[in-house]
């Protein structure tokens, strides 16, 4: 699971930080880690997100083609100015 941001709040997550998120109506624990230097990983995460929510492409200045294709050049450009937050869910034995 991952989230993207172009804000600087992600710096609080360096080294990993415990988080709680609402996932499908449930409160779930996890550890959040920023990915700020692996542009290709960020681009892949952005691509996965935009395939699910193509209307968000405009926020990243990514062009969506007529068949939903997302240009690699747009994704890489957007990845350079965003950070991906990867959240590893923690099994709480529930």
């Amino acid at each position: 699971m991952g989230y993207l941001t172009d804000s600087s709040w992600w710096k609080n997550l360096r080294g990993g930080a415990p988080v709680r998120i609402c996932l499908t109506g449930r409160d779930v624990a996890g550890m959040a880690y920023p990915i700020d230097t692996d542009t290709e990983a960020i681009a892949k995460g952005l691509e996965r997100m935009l395939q699910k929510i193509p209307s968000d492409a405009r926020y990243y200045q990514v062009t969506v083609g007529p068949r939903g294709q997302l240009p690699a050049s747009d994704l890489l450009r957007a990845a350079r100015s965003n950070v991906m937050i990867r959240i590893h869910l923690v099994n709480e034995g529930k």
Side-chain angles (χ1 to χ4, degrees):
M1 156 176 290
Y3 298 93
L4 288 139
T5 184
D6 63 353
S7 190
S8 62
W9 65 266
W10 65 269
K11 293 176 183 178
N12 296 320
L13 304 176
R14 285 185 176 145
V19 296
R20 295 198 75 76
I21 61 171
C22 183
L23 183 63
T24 62
R26 289 183 28 230
D27 188 41
V28 180
M31 286 295 291
Y33 301 91
I35 300 173
D36 61 328
T37 58
D38 188 344
T39 305
E40 287 189 28
I42 298 167
K44 286 179 185 176
L46 179 59
E47 181 178 30
R48 283 191 302 271
M49 184 189 79
L50 295 179
Q51 286 171 342
K52 293 178 182 179
I53 313 168
S55 61
D56 278 3
R58 66 178 177 237
Y59 301 118
Y60 300 95
Q61 288 78 50
V62 172
T63 304
V64 179
R67 285 176 259 131
Q69 66 272 34
L70 303 165
S73 59
D74 284 6
L75 293 167
L76 284 170
R77 182 189 34 72
R80 287 186 201 104
S81 60
N82 284 276
V83 172
M84 183 167 60
I85 309 304
R86 182 158 290 149
I87 298 174
H88 298 275
L89 301 180
V90 176
N91 183 353
E92 295 181 323
K94 294 182 181 178

